Amino acid sequence: MTDLEQAPVTDQPERHDRSEPDRDAYDDVPEAGDGGAHTPPPPPSRRRRWLTAVVVFLLIAIPAGYLALSAAQSRDSGQEKEERAAMAGLTWHWPSKVQRRIYDVPIPSYSYPVAFFETNSFRTSSLYVTFRTSQDGLDKFLAHYGHTREDLREDVATITPKQAARVKWDFTVGDGYAGLVHKEKAPRPSQRITVDFAEDGHPVVYVVSTTRF
């Protein structure tokens, strides 16, 4: 027999054995319903929840406490400044241009003597000013606020006793006082003006200008 007879030629591809697969190859595959890869994570422990609550509380409490402390320090600082100013008393000099502009107190030219006192607190700031001027200077001063001498109330000191006590002004002694109150909407300053006409031709003006925040 020749070689061709021993190995016949065929057009069919070689077939593999389709017998039952080896079950050992699937032993590691989880079966349906046993939880396998879809097992939910365990719930957070009580200790973890407690730590989260503490962190959230601190994030809220610390900023709130800081703001409260800052407000208290600002208030205390204002009170300290006011006490130091009260101890120093009136300064016998013209207030600065900035102060006069902020508190809207236009002192007439050639006024003499001039003294001032400033207080600052948590909600309000005030400038106390006194000066002696001429009749013309008084008219110009009142005209700045849209007033005339006719608007002054006779025998009335519009500066309160508490305000007067801070700078040791005493309007209970003597007579010839007249005053008015010029009000503006905050934060623009308002003025309490009292004029002493005791010295003829040389009125003495007392002003307390207060701005509120």
Side-chain angles (χ1 to χ4, degrees), residues 90 115 117 126-131 141 152-153 155-172 177-182 190-196 204-210:
L90 287 168
F117 169 78
S126 297
L127 181 68
Y128 295 63
V129 180
T130 180
F131 57 88
F141 176 75
L152 295 170
R153 298 170 56 191
D155 301 321
V156 174
T158 54
I159 295 174
T160 67
K162 182 179 179 180
Q163 291 173 329
R166 287 188 174 182
V167 288
K168 299 181 180 179
W169 290 342
D170 189 358
F171 299 111
T172 62
Y177 296 109
L180 61 83
V181 177
H182 178 72
S190 296
Q191 292 79 24
R192 288 181 174 271
I193 302 170
T194 297
V195 183
D196 183 1
V204 178
V205 179
Y206 301 86
V207 187
V208 178
S209 180
T210 302

Side-chain angles (χ1 to χ4, degrees), residues 1-22:
M1 179 180 294
T2 65
D3 293 338
L4 295 176
E5 294 176 348
Q6 293 178 354
V9 177
T10 177
D11 293 333
Q12 297 294 329
E14 182 180 0
R15 295 183 178 182
H16 297 283
D17 188 6
R18 294 181 178 270
S19 60
E20 184 179 356
D22 187 3

Side-chain angles (χ1 to χ4, degrees), residues 44-107:
S45 63
R46 290 185 177 181
R47 183 171 181 273
R48 184 175 180 182
R49 290 198 298 267
W50 181 81
L51 288 175
T52 301
V54 170
V55 170
V56 172
F57 172 78
L58 292 176
L59 290 175
I60 298 174
I62 290 177
Y66 175 78
L67 292 176
L69 179 61
S70 298
Q73 290 176 340
S74 177
R75 181 165 56 253
D76 293 341
S77 177
Q79 291 174 349
E80 291 176 0
K81 289 180 180 178
E82 189 172 352
E83 290 173 359
R84 288 198 299 268
M87 293 177 62
L90 287 168
T91 299
W92 291 94
H93 197 277
W94 283 56
S96 68
K97 291 182 180 180
V98 173
Q99 288 174 311
R100 281 177 273 162
R101 183 171 64 252
I102 291 175
Y103 292 98
D104 194 21
V105 180
I107 302 174

